[in-house]
Amino acid sequence: MMSKVLFQKKQTIDYKLMMNVKKIACIGAGYVGGPTMSVIAQKNPGIIVTVVDLNQARIDAWNDSDLNNLPIYEPGLADVIEEARGRNLFFSTDVEKAIDEADMIFISVNTPTKTYGKGKGQAADLKFIELCARQIASVAQSDKIIVEKSTLPVRTADALKSILDNTGNGVNFHILSNPEFLAEGTAIPDLQSPDRVLIGGENRDAIEALVGIYEAWVPRERILTTNLWSSELSKLVANAFLAQRVSSINAISELCEVTGANVDEVARAVGTDSRIGPKFLKSSVGFGGSCFQKDILNLVYIARSYNLHAVANYWEQVILLNDHQKSRFAEKIIRDMYNTVNGKRIVFLGWAFKKDTNDTRESAAIYVADHLLSEEANIIIYDPKVTAEQIYRDLDYLGTRSSEENKRLVQVVEDPYEACKDAHAIAVLTEWDEFRTYDWKLIKEQMKRPSFVFDGRSVLDSSLMESLNFTYYKIGSDVNQK
Ligand code: UDX
Ligand code: ADP
């Protein structure tokens, strides 16, 4: 029955349009565009894929012959680049040429939360998307399929279509929504073996053209097709649900600390219920990343704009709880350290928003640091993949204090043991695997006493920490209840 339906469907496909996809352009060579296009190129050696970006330095890094210098760190990415780059995968700043030549154009530019005007702090800033649309419209001389890859508010496709149709050269544009579900740190396996690929659109031939590209490696039954709006909304909802699970378990972590329960045990007990499932129940210092907060704020903004205040308030709580989790971690550090961290050496292990990425967007570490710096702590930061420039940029971006002041209070180091020498406290902000394997005995010997460890990711072995006489706290089970 299933195969019959598929067969009938295939009969009506416009193979001309499908076969016309010989060249793909992707605008935006970031965390989404770069890895996604690399895998599409790897799996479709017959299609030329050109990734373009305005940022020359970023493109140079993508083209660097030393694969250690790629602009983003993702396990497995270098191998894919090595295989496809120069064969059918290219990185360039010539945006117009790529648009002109492409049959299909992915838009993977950033859509940060607005920092000005209407919707400030909530709505997605679509200025980069609009610029892309205008550029595509002015350059295109042949029909194109436009694929929204960036996460966008529902009905952005309407705006895109209107700009393209009204400012274009009379060519046809078919708009598809194809949200990306990859998670950073696991982008390559997520892309190579996705739970599902979602394609929303109105034109069946355009949809099938994109299905054809994914079918090169994704089983057909995992490629879901919907209407445009369902696809756009599903991306926001998927992220909102995931973030909600993290906030839910984080809410319980605080309760565990006062009742003597252990949040990891609770998560295990709850997660083994097959209706609930074990994933995204890891209590932490708070979720970060470029998507969760932005997408929920977006959802809240959309709900409010339709006067659905109960809906908006419900989802807003996920963010408020996350903010609470970050600030209560900072407050805990201050409280345990005798209510003052002024001039004290506090080491941050980790700055990235999660392990296996150099991305720091919305990382909890930024906000915990800011809180402690306002109390005049000295913070020494070690992260295996994040650069010092990025860390200072993150802090300066908050605008809480001058750049000179951030430089005075914060030191970024390359050796974790050096960092921990003479420290009053260590705070674990990212769950990098290497933290587990450090010589904690040596670290303890070189720290000040009492030697505080605040484990915001529950990565360390609590019995080891206690046996070494650390004053050890981990989120969700306060072994040193005061
Ligand atoms: C997320 C979605 O997972 C992905 O599908 C979407 O395309 C983009 O947004 P990402 O932000 O890269 O991906 O990472 P994710 O693994 O979802 O983690 C987000 C944040 O939640 C991180 O700060 C992580 O440390 C935190 N987290 C995650 C927890 O604190 N506990 C968990 O159990 C899971
Ligand atoms: P994401 O996580 O969504 O991939 P990034 O910020 O990592 O976000 O990447 C988005 C990329 O899009 C940036 O490198 C930025 O320079 C690029 N970009 C934004 N607007 C344009 C544009 N109009 N043309 C080309 N590149 C653009």
Side-chain angles (χ1 to χ4, degrees):
M1 180 64 191
M2 178 72 179
S3 60
K4 196 170 166 214
V5 172
L6 280 178
F7 179 72
Q8 283 170 347
K9 222 173 159 193
K10 289 224 173 196
Q11 289 296 297
T12 56
I13 296 167
D14 181 347
Y15 278 98
K16 271 199 314 261
L17 185 55
M18 267 185 79
M19 283 156 61
N20 278 345
V21 181
K22 291 271 178 261
K23 288 194 176 178
I24 290 176
C26 171
I27 308 182
Y31 284 89
V32 173
T36 310
M37 291 305 123
S38 302
V39 171
I40 286 183
Q42 180 196 32
K43 304 290 186 184
N44 288 277
I47 299 179
I48 304 285
V49 180
T50 306
V51 191
V52 290
D53 203 295
L54 298 170
N55 184 332
Q56 180 75 54
R58 211 166 213 192
I59 291 299
D60 289 346
W62 280 111
N63 283 324
D64 201 305
S65 55
D66 182 351
L67 292 170
N68 291 316
N69 294 335
L70 293 178
I72 67 175
Y73 173 72
E74 270 300 335
L77 175 64
D79 294 338
V80 180
I81 296 283
E82 188 165 36
E83 181 181 336
R85 195 176 62 186
R87 177 189 70 184
N88 65 323
L89 173 66
F90 302 92
F91 294 92
S92 160
T93 49
D94 195 343
V95 182
E96 295 203 345
K97 180 162 179 277
I99 292 174
D100 179 39
E101 293 179 350
D103 311 304
M104 182 179 272
I105 302 173
F106 286 79
I107 302 185
S108 293
V109 300
N110 38 336
T111 51
T113 303
K114 274 186 88 174
T115 51
Y116 56 89
K118 189 158 180 264
K120 177 179 170 183
Q122 291 205 323
D125 193 339
L126 297 180
K127 69 177 176 208
F128 302 116
I129 296 279
E130 181 167 343
L131 273 172
C132 282
R134 289 187 187 279
Q135 200 167 11
I136 293 170
S138 75
V139 172
Q141 298 294 339
S142 57
D143 295 358
K144 315 246 178 235
I145 297 171
I146 308 296
V147 186
E148 298 174 347
K149 212 24 157 170
S150 320
T151 308
L152 297 165
V154 185
R155 303 206 77 96
T156 303
D158 255 354
L160 260 180
K161 182 130 187 68
S162 160
I163 295 168
L164 290 167
D165 288 347
N166 288 305
T167 55
N169 304 314
V171 298
N172 293 313
F173 295 106
H174 300 296
I175 299 182
L176 300 177
S177 158
N178 173 219
E180 188 45 68
F181 293 104
L182 68 80
E184 289 176 30
T186 53
I188 299 301
D190 290 348
L191 284 162
Q192 288 179 330
S193 180
D195 286 347
R196 80 310 207 180
V197 167
L198 180 58
I199 301 175
E202 285 162 347
N203 180 295
R204 206 183 52 242
D205 296 329
I207 292 175
E208 287 302 325
L210 186 52
V211 168
I213 287 162
Y214 283 107
E215 258 185 328
W217 79 98
V218 180
R220 184 61 175 87
E221 63 275 14
R222 288 206 205 156
I223 305 177
L224 313 183
T225 56
T226 65
N227 76 30
L228 267 174
W229 324 122
S230 299
S231 172
E232 287 184 342
L233 185 59
S234 298
K235 168 69 188 210
L236 296 186
V237 173
N239 276 342
F241 272 52
L242 291 170
Q244 180 205 42
R245 283 175 70 96
V246 179
S247 276
S248 295
I249 199 69
N250 281 344
I252 299 304
S253 73
E254 192 170 10
L255 194 56
C256 287
E257 289 175 21
V258 292
T259 55
N262 176 315
V263 76
D264 291 334
E265 291 178 357
V266 173
R268 184 152 44 95
V270 170
T272 42
D273 184 325
S274 61
R275 294 167 303 174
I276 297 173
K279 294 183 179 167
F280 275 73
L281 289 182
K282 181 80 189 150
S283 181
S284 69
V285 55
F287 61 74
S290 69
C291 286
F292 280 4
Q293 173 156 317
K294 180 185 79 177
D295 289 353
I296 293 175
L297 288 174
N298 218 327
L299 201 59
V300 168
Y301 184 73
I302 294 166
R304 285 246 154 80
S305 67
Y306 287 105
N307 277 323
L308 305 180
H309 296 294
V311 177
N313 293 343
Y314 174 75
W315 286 106
E316 195 165 37
Q317 282 305 315
V318 175
I319 301 285
L320 295 180
L321 198 286
N322 196 49
D323 289 341
H324 171 68
Q325 188 77 345
K326 291 180 272 190
S327 71
R328 89 176 179 87
F329 186 71
E331 285 295 331
K332 167 80 179 159
I333 293 176
I334 297 167
R335 204 170 51 246
D336 280 8
M337 295 178 77
Y338 318 108
N339 288 313
T340 176
V341 289
N342 185 314
K344 288 183 181 164
R345 229 177 123 81
I346 301 179
V347 174
F348 273 32
L349 291 181
W351 189 260
F353 80 96
K354 62 187 278 196
K355 74 172 181 178
D356 291 340
T357 179
N358 61 345
D359 194 350
T360 64
R361 285 176 287 182
E362 292 300 330
S363 179
I366 303 171
Y367 299 94
V368 175
D370 191 53
H371 199 126
L372 297 176
L373 291 172
S374 295
E375 297 290 328
E376 295 269 328
N378 282 327
I379 301 187
I380 295 81
I381 300 166
Y382 166 77
D383 185 289
K385 291 289 171 198
V386 181
T387 63
E389 295 72 41
Q390 184 60 47
I391 291 173
Y392 288 120
R393 210 177 303 136
D394 290 337
L395 288 169
D396 292 349
Y397 182 78
L398 294 179
T400 313
R401 64 194 69 73
S402 71
S403 175
E404 293 69 37
E405 191 67 353
N406 281 328
K407 287 241 158 50
R408 183 178 73 81
L409 294 170
V410 175
Q411 197 191 338
V412 182
V413 298
E414 294 194 348
D415 177 356
Y417 291 94
E418 198 56 41
C420 296
K421 223 176 248 173
D422 290 327
H424 293 82
I426 295 172
V428 180
L429 274 303
T430 312
E431 73 280 24
W432 287 101
D433 291 332
E434 65 175 61
F435 299 159
R436 297 174 203 271
T437 58
Y438 285 176
D439 183 344
W440 285 99
K441 186 164 179 291
L442 177 67
I443 290 174
K444 174 75 181 74
E445 280 161 11
Q446 298 183 336
M447 273 179 77
K448 290 208 188 309
R449 289 175 202 172
S451 315
F452 293 96
V453 172
F454 299 94
D455 189 348
R457 296 287 187 164
S458 304
V459 287
L460 304 177
D461 176 349
S462 44
S463 39
L464 172 72
M465 301 313 279
E466 281 154 41
S467 69
L468 291 173
N469 282 327
F470 280 105
T471 307
Y472 179 67
Y473 158 83
K474 75 170 175 176
I475 293 261
S477 78
D478 192 351
V479 291
N480 303 297
Q481 271 185 48
K482 303 221 160 62

